[in-house]
Amino acid sequence: MGILVLSAYVEMEHAMELLSSGQRTGYLLKSRVTNVEEFIETVERISRGGSVVDPGLVQELVAARRVDDPLDELTPREREVLALMAEGRSNAGIARRLWVTGGTVEKHVHSILAKLRLPETDDDHRRVLAVVTFLEAR
């Protein structure tokens, strides 16, 4: 069964949940449904297994990706350190790999954690949270 959502505005969370299911889905803004033939063509496309995404939603997704990428604030070197952290390397291992001192790696890690806004708490391991953020952004 296909699903076509007609919405008055872009609801990102619901749209992403719907579209992540894969095929036979569509999300359109009601204001875009102005031509009956195009609407029927959209319904037929969904019934054949296709997907339809409103251009407004695509625009929102692209803008959200640009705005919300937490890694944008990191320098190229910090990204390199974070990638090595994601490989499971220790600070000493990162230092050897990049030919820098352990203190330099510590400074990079501290900067990464600050830029990713990962505060110190007793409940969380910030280094792991940084790696999760890195992997989700990829």
Side-chain angles (χ1 to χ4, degrees):
M1 173 183 1
I3 299 172
L4 174 59
V5 173
L6 297 174
S7 180
Y9 55 94
V10 173
E11 179 64 47
M12 291 289 273
E13 188 175 323
H14 296 300
M16 292 306 297
E17 187 176 327
L18 172 73
L19 296 172
S20 69
S21 66
Q23 43 186 298
R24 293 185 183 230
T25 58
Y27 191 98
L28 291 177
L29 294 177
K30 289 178 185 178
S31 60
R32 297 243 194 245
V33 182
T34 57
N35 183 312
V36 174
E37 285 131 13
E38 286 179 11
F39 179 72
I40 291 170
E41 183 180 307
T42 297
V43 171
E44 289 173 344
R45 186 176 317 138
I46 292 170
S47 71
R48 289 189 307 266
S51 295
V52 176
V53 180
D54 191 276
L57 176 60
V58 173
Q59 225 174 1
E60 293 265 345
L61 290 171
V62 170
R65 175 73 174 151
R66 273 185 268 143
V67 171
D68 294 338
D69 188 354
L71 303 182
D72 280 347
E73 293 186 40
L74 302 182
T75 66
R77 181 58 119 188
E78 289 167 345
R79 283 177 179 255
E80 194 172 11
V81 168
L82 184 53
L84 291 168
M85 288 168 55
E87 290 178 10
R89 300 195 186 275
S90 65
N91 284 0
I94 294 170
R96 281 190 292 280
R97 182 79 175 263
L98 298 179
W99 295 90
V100 297
T101 67
T104 299
V105 173
E106 285 180 32
K107 288 178 185 176
H108 285 309
V109 170
H110 180 74
S111 179
I112 290 166
L113 299 177
K115 287 180 179 180
L116 295 179
R117 296 175 196 87
L118 299 170
E120 287 187 50
T121 69
D122 292 335
D123 296 332
D124 299 317
H125 193 290
R126 296 185 317 155
R127 190 176 179 108
V128 172
L129 293 175
V131 168
V132 168
T133 301
F134 172 75
L135 295 173
E136 286 176 344
R138 295 176 70 193

